[in-house]
Amino acid sequence: MKRLLPALTGAALFAATGLAALATPPGASAADCTPAQVVANDGFESGSSPWTAPSGAITADSGQSAHSGSSYAWLDGYGSSHTDTLSQSVTLPAGCGTATLGFWLHVDTAETTASTAYDKLTVKLGSTTVATYSNLDAGSGYVHKTVDVSAFAGQTATLAFTGVEDASLQTSFVLDDVTLDVSGGGTTPQPGDPTRTPAAPAYTVDLSSDASGGSWTGHESVTFSNASPTALNEVYLRLWDNAHGSCPSTPITVTNVTGGTPSPLTVNCTALKITLPAPLAQGQSGTVGFDLGITVPSGADRFGHDGAYNFLGNALPVLAIRDAAGWHLDPYTNNGESFYSVASDFTVTLDHPTGLLVPATGTSVDTPGTTGRTVTKATASKVRDFAWGAGPFTRISGTSAAGVKVNVYSVAGISAADSKSMLSTATSAVDAHAQRFGAYPYGELDAVIDNNFWFGGMEYPGFVLDLVSTTALTHEIGHQWWYGIVGDDEYNSPWLDESFTDYATDLALGKTGNGCWNSVSWASSAEKITNSMAYWDANSSRYSTVVYGYGKCALHDLRRTIGDTAMTTLLRNYAQAHWNGVSTTAEFKAAAQAATTVDLTSFWSQHRIDG
């Protein structure tokens, strides 16, 4: 997603979404593993109970601020030798194989060192230290921390945060919204098992719209296999666009599930666990089906409608990924992307009024439906998601020099000249990126243009939303390679698609990036190009500057370090090696090092590229 305007890139419209707390119902057995949040009074809004804490540590004092609500926990901050401990007893059900401790932490300090941890915060479950922080983690706002504590399944233990301050110069450890979410009954992935599963999803979707194209009902099914040697006991559907509603009143509804047993929605109603009838061993397949309802909310958004024009990005439920880290059930972010999925096949049939045009991912074929209606069948292979629009768009089409069909769909108010300009930009950009990274694989490309998009532009496979902007459209089309073809975990490693796409955009537009790294100025020692969206949601004004700006400048700097020819070969070979796969920071760093005789150790450190 490209953010163009400082007023829009400086702050997300929505705060980072936390996991929904669900109480375990009476009589439920541990083996059932009802997803739950087991920390009581997690936001400190109900006084101190059941926390044990020093007097005044749980407070609404104006000396610090809460992450949400009005209260928070403030440990240390005295500037003298001092120890504060905040604790409560928690029970992790035995049947839940996945447990994640999460909390929002703000550290401020008077220490001036950039290398010595004088004051420390230790996080323990029972006698085990699960995380440590110090004055070196100081920053301007809250940062969301997560720790995998799945090893404590079935145990009752004391969760404790202990801040220890030395004799001089204060450090304050400020905590809020402490959660311990349990889910995922049955066997968890074994440590070191990096296999991404479920694998090879194939989605079949049949939907029919109302007269406006803003309400859709029908059926979706997905067939998948278990690629992992660890049995697959359940799958999770991500209902991403429920983040646009008010949980539990949601714009995406799933009912009449077949092929498994659904649990209550979690993660702000964006995650639906479906327990399979029997565990799937490695290589075995399963199918889950359900009735689907979609109601598009008002707003010129990636999921929303701008008057008569509907945009349905992330509207179809898709399978979450399980890997060595467990199930990826990250919250939705409106500041960037949370999406992480494997390459999948989609066959989507959309029945709609003939007066509506329906641009969509994949290659579309229209046939007559019942009186006054048209059936658009879109087929897409090896894509990570599916998006579409519906409205009285104006469409113009062309073909790039390399033979890619490009369609530009414009809302009312976009001039014919601007539409033609965007068609020219799109045909040039798709060929420029393909020449560098490999042939465009998605058949046709649809660009939907609306100058009311607050976010600038948004990418989906074969389908982009954009303003009238040459730079933004070139960027979104670049995402067809960096996110679409070469996938990544967009929540935990956003730089792998945004930085690479902005670098590709510069190359396509003939920009050299000369000297751009010279203007880098870090906001804190915790700020890194490779930080996750949890960090950027807590520091939203820095997201575009660092991930887009510093990230692409680091890649320009890498090109200057290893040479133009080596960099060109590196990126093309890397794209080919990860075609329809998933990229990680560690894999890219290894590939870059293999492409040069220059030792890049200090380069990664200087450019704050960790992983």
Side-chain angles (χ1 to χ4, degrees):
M1 181 162 65
K2 176 67 175 179
R3 298 175 180 273
L4 297 173
L5 305 176
L8 300 176
T9 61
L13 297 189
F14 297 95
T17 310
L19 299 186
L22 295 174
T24 304
S29 68
D32 291 335
C33 187
T34 299
Q37 196 289 96
V38 301
V39 172
N41 191 18
D42 56 300
F44 308 107
E45 302 299 322
S46 303
S48 59
S49 180
W51 294 98
T52 299
S55 177
I58 295 176
T59 180
D61 188 279
S62 61
Q64 297 285 348
S65 60
H67 171 256
S68 66
S70 59
S71 297
Y72 57 91
W74 186 352
L75 306 184
D76 296 338
Y78 291 90
S80 59
S81 296
H82 190 85
T83 299
D84 281 337
T85 297
L86 171 77
S87 65
Q88 76 165 261
S89 178
V90 293
T91 299
L92 287 71
C96 296
T98 300
T100 303
L101 173 66
F103 52 92
W104 289 86
L105 173 65
H106 168 55
V107 181
D108 74 46
T109 186
E111 301 284 1
T112 58
T113 179
S115 59
T116 305
Y118 290 114
D119 309 315
K120 298 179 182 179
L121 176 72
T122 302
V123 186
K124 288 187 173 184
L125 257 182
S127 60
T128 302
T129 298
V130 297
T132 58
Y133 307 95
S134 73
N135 50 279
L136 298 179
D137 295 294
S140 59
Y142 278 94
V143 177
H144 192 231
K145 304 293 186 180
T146 58
V147 183
D148 184 358
V149 292
S150 301
F152 291 84
Q155 299 183 32
T156 296
T158 297
L159 171 63
F161 299 85
T162 300
V164 178
E165 202 173 9
D166 71 358
S168 64
L169 298 178
Q170 75 86 24
T171 298
S172 295
F173 300 102
V174 188
L175 294 153
D176 202 359
D177 297 325
V178 181
T179 58
L180 206 170
D181 292 277
V182 294
S183 62
T187 307
T188 58
Q190 297 301 311
D193 173 12
T195 309
R196 297 179 181 95
T197 199
Y203 296 86
T204 302
V205 184
D206 290 278
L207 296 174
S208 180
S209 83
D210 66 356
S212 72
S215 179
W216 298 78
T217 56
H219 190 77
E220 176 177 340
S221 65
V222 55
T223 299
F224 53 87
S225 64
N226 179 22
S228 169
T230 305
L232 191 63
N233 298 280
E234 70 279 326
V235 295
Y236 282 85
L237 291 172
R238 296 313 307 262
L239 285 63
W240 285 115
D241 282 338
N242 279 349
H244 293 269
S246 179
C247 182
S249 176
T250 59
I252 310 296
T253 59
V254 167
T255 55
N256 300 322
V257 174
T258 59
T261 303
S263 296
L265 290 168
T266 57
V267 197
N268 197 33
C269 288
T270 67
L272 177 65
K273 176 187 172 183
I274 299 176
T275 303
L276 301 177
L280 295 181
Q282 188 173 25
Q284 290 185 319
S285 298
T287 299
V288 168
F290 47 89
D291 291 335
L292 177 63
I294 301 170
T295 302
V296 180
S298 178
D301 210 330
R302 49 193 180 187
F303 178 61
H305 70 84
D306 184 10
Y309 301 93
N310 299 277
F311 315 107
L312 294 102
N314 307 109
L316 295 183
V318 294
L319 291 172
I321 290 177
R322 191 191 76 183
D323 57 21
W327 284 104
H328 285 259
L329 301 177
D330 298 303
Y332 181 92
T333 175
N334 212 40
N335 194 31
E337 288 83 45
S338 301
F339 317 126
Y340 177 28
S341 54
V342 296
S344 310
D345 294 338
F346 285 84
T347 301
V348 180
T349 302
L350 302 168
D351 185 323
H352 58 88
T354 300
L356 303 180
L357 294 183
V358 179
T361 291
T363 302
S364 296
V365 176
D366 288 347
T367 57
T370 58
T371 302
R373 297 183 70 86
T374 295
V375 176
T376 298
K377 184 175 182 180
T379 305
S381 177
K382 303 300 181 186
V383 296
R384 299 180 193 279
D385 202 350
F386 184 97
W388 75 100
F393 298 102
T394 298
R395 176 178 59 199
I396 60 172
S397 301
T399 304
S400 77
V404 178
K405 181 181 179 181
V406 178
N407 305 302
V408 170
Y409 293 80
S410 300
V411 305
I414 302 296
S415 70
D418 281 343
S419 294
K420 290 179 181 178
S421 173
M422 291 300 92
L423 180 60
S424 176
T425 293
T427 54
S428 296
V430 72
D431 283 356
H433 295 312
Q435 186 176 14
R436 288 185 174 87
F437 310 123
Y440 179 77
Y442 298 145
E444 62 191 37
L445 171 65
D446 293 341
V448 180
I449 309 299
D450 186 339
N451 275 334
N452 291 328
F453 289 140
W454 67 266
F455 47 84
M458 180 64 196
E459 70 280 359
Y460 297 98
F463 178 97
V464 300
L465 305 173
D466 221 307
L467 308 171
V468 175
S469 167
T470 296
T471 300
L473 187 55
T474 303
H475 175 98
E476 302 313 328
I477 293 173
H479 272 304
Q480 302 303 305
W481 284 262
W482 303 105
Y483 143 76
I485 297 166
V486 181
D488 65 287
D489 179 347
E490 292 188 296
Y491 188 84
N492 289 297
S493 300
W495 90 287
L496 286 171
D497 54 280
E498 296 298 357
S499 301
F500 281 62
T501 297
D502 237 24
Y503 175 76
T505 301
D506 274 5
L507 297 182
L509 297 178
K511 299 178 180 179
T512 64
N514 284 339
C516 66
W517 184 258
N518 298 337
S519 60
V520 167
S521 177
W522 302 103
S524 73
S525 60
E527 190 168 87
K528 297 177 175 65
I529 289 173
T530 47
N531 280 351
S532 75
M533 288 308 307
Y535 177 88
W536 301 119
D537 279 339
N539 300 270
S540 57
S541 66
R542 297 288 294 167
Y543 173 57
S544 292
T545 298
V546 177
V547 174
Y548 291 75
Y550 295 0
K552 76 172 179 183
C553 288
L555 293 173
H556 279 300
D557 226 21
L558 179 62
R559 173 173 53 82
R560 285 185 282 271
T561 300
I562 70 175
D564 288 355
T565 300
M567 187 67 169
T568 299
T569 302
L570 164 64
L571 287 182
R572 186 175 182 86
N573 288 349
Y574 190 78
Q576 296 297 316
H578 291 78
W579 203 263
N580 295 329
V582 174
S583 169
T584 67
T585 299
E587 288 170 336
F588 176 72
K589 289 171 67 175
Q593 185 59 78
T596 181
T597 57
V598 178
D599 185 347
L600 296 176
T601 303
S602 62
F603 180 92
W604 307 127
S605 177
Q606 176 195 356
H607 294 78
R608 299 198 182 188
I609 296 173
D610 289 351

